[in-house]
Amino acid sequence: MSLLEIRGLRKVYGQRLLFEIPGLTLERGQSTLLVGTNGAGKTTLLRILAGLEPAEIAEYVFDGRKIAVREISRLAPTVVYVHQHAYLFHSSVAANIAYGLQGRGLSRAEINACVDAEIEWAGLREVAQVPTQRLSGGEKQRVALARARVLKPKLLLLDEPTANLDVDARRQVGDLIAHMGRGDDCVLVATHDPELIARSWSARYVLENCALADLQM
Amino acid sequence: MSLSEAALQALHMLLEGDPSLWGIIYVSLRVCFFAMLLAAPPAIMLAFLLANFSFPGRRILVVLIQTLQALPTVVIGLILYFLLTRNGPLGAYGLLFTQGGMILGEAVLAFPILAAMTLSALQSADPRVTETARTLGAGSIRAAWTLMMEVRFAIMAAIVTGFARVISEVGCAMMIGGNIAGVTRNITTAIALETSKGEFAQGIALGIVLVAVALVTNAGMALLQGKGGLK
């Protein structure tokens, strides 16, 4: 059984058709790449998959369960969307990573242990207690990845995760993304960063001319 | 008496702990504190509803709140006087010329400022705040609380501005409180009275306190903000 199966997805802005996708399937454990020119609708597609943006969808089946369009956003944090320029709450790095863990019946010790593991994973030990406004772009992006990863989402949607980062930060973030999907979990990354595109992916798609197609390398 | 002599006498009165003077200051602070306590929760709640939900009459309500900010304090005093007077619709509560009445009046004055400034803060907040909260699994109530926390400095600024408005106004306090010595006489009504009697020293002393209160509240706000307000 696939993790996500979508049929009849169509997005229009007024009279303008942004894209029409007859079918899209994301298999479990798959890392998927999505490319396309600016304005092709990559961000919009990711936001639709996360339920942050309305669209016409004939069928959205997640984990074998049919989900109504307006209920898609309730899949969070099983489905997590990370913005191109991730928003970090005005608190510490550790508090940001802990955000999604709170209110889930976990003890403080359990939360601390999970946060600690993510801080280690993302290499944020030195800035763990620093207010997020003082972080560099690369550090912010790593916090956003750790904050999403700690929730163990089945589907992680990353929008241009390396945009506006310098070479070193891009490499660090790229390395982290390569290790993001765990077991049956799925990562879908929208990007036009050549370094990221050149990495190994289970599936590659291109969004162009209002349609989704396999990317020929 | 020259201005410098009056100012010196004012400092003496303050430092010697003149009981009538400090009683007046206490009335002002107490009334303003409870007025803010009464006005802030519903004003912030209303701002939240206006920022997040569309309903019939919403725009009219927003315009009304913005207009009420500019309403002269004496007009609010006048309306409340008619409501609270013995024969008025709320006369049975006996609030006219009491601190309770003043608290109500000052809360009415603070309400539109608090609501309008909080609404503006919420509307100008980054839309990614709520989206990020929701995608990380927060329910609508927690997402709303997160948004409030993210704009907390702007809400604090609204509270300080509201407090400044009510502690410095004289019209409503005079009309609803009646300037009764030891009961409803506050800093501003006392300054007006003392000045009209030619007693400048007490007026100046109270003026100094008013400025000091403004300074302390704003300094407290700056301290709370820390570097959070820094871009």
Side-chain angles (χ1 to χ4, degrees), chain A:
Chain A
M1 185 175 47
S2 307
L3 180 66
L4 177 66
E5 280 183 78
I6 294 180
R7 270 187 285 282
L9 168 59
R10 194 165 178 272
K11 178 68 183 176
V12 288
Y13 283 118
Q15 297 294 312
R16 179 182 159 234
L17 173 73
L18 187 61
F19 51 71
E20 188 160 12
I21 300 170
L24 170 65
T25 303
L26 297 179
E27 299 297 341
R28 290 167 196 278
Q30 201 177 47
S31 61
T32 306
L33 174 77
L34 175 66
V35 296
T37 51
N38 279 337
K42 301 189 296 293
T43 296
T44 308
L45 176 57
L46 258 56
R47 290 171 59 82
I48 290 169
L49 297 185
L52 295 173
E53 188 129 349
E56 297 167 35
I57 303 176
E59 202 172 51
Y60 186 109
V61 182
F62 186 84
D63 214 4
R65 206 157 51 94
K66 199 171 164 186
I67 312 283
V69 176
R70 61 177 181 283
E71 301 288 321
I72 297 172
S73 63
R74 292 183 187 231
L75 289 172
T78 309
V79 175
V80 173
Y81 169 77
V82 179
H83 290 90
Q84 176 175 351
H85 300 289
Y87 184 91
L88 300 186
F89 301 121
H90 291 147
S91 50
S92 68
V93 167
N96 264 274
I97 297 174
Y99 184 88
L101 295 171
Q102 284 152 357
R104 300 172 92 191
L106 296 172
S107 71
R108 188 177 281 265
E110 286 170 311
I111 291 177
N112 288 345
C114 291
V115 170
D116 209 54
E118 293 309 315
I119 284 174
E120 197 61 49
W121 174 79
L124 295 163
R125 177 70 59 208
E126 282 178 15
V127 291
Q129 298 306 324
V130 170
T132 51
Q133 307 94 292
R134 293 201 209 147
L135 300 180
S136 69
E139 286 167 340
K140 281 183 181 167
Q141 199 59 15
R142 274 146 55 201
V143 173
L145 293 179
R147 185 175 66 178
R149 186 184 183 263
V150 75
L151 301 172
K152 300 184 172 63
K154 287 187 175 168
L155 174 57
L156 182 60
L157 305 161
L158 304 179
D159 191 2
E160 301 277 6
T162 55
N164 301 324
L165 299 183
D166 62 32
V167 179
D168 287 343
R170 273 217 308 275
R171 192 158 301 136
Q172 282 176 335
V173 169
D175 287 344
L176 292 183
I177 292 167
H179 297 101
M180 286 209 70
R182 288 182 282 204
D184 281 351
D185 300 339
C186 217
V187 188
L188 173 55
V189 180
T191 187
H192 42 228
D193 173 2
E195 269 182 59
L196 214 50
I197 295 170
R199 286 174 182 261
S200 132
W201 299 95
S202 328
R204 296 161 198 264
Y205 293 108
V206 57
L207 193 56
E208 60 185 357
N209 303 325
C210 307
L212 190 68
D214 287 331
L215 176 69
Q216 307 299 326
M217 291 293 281

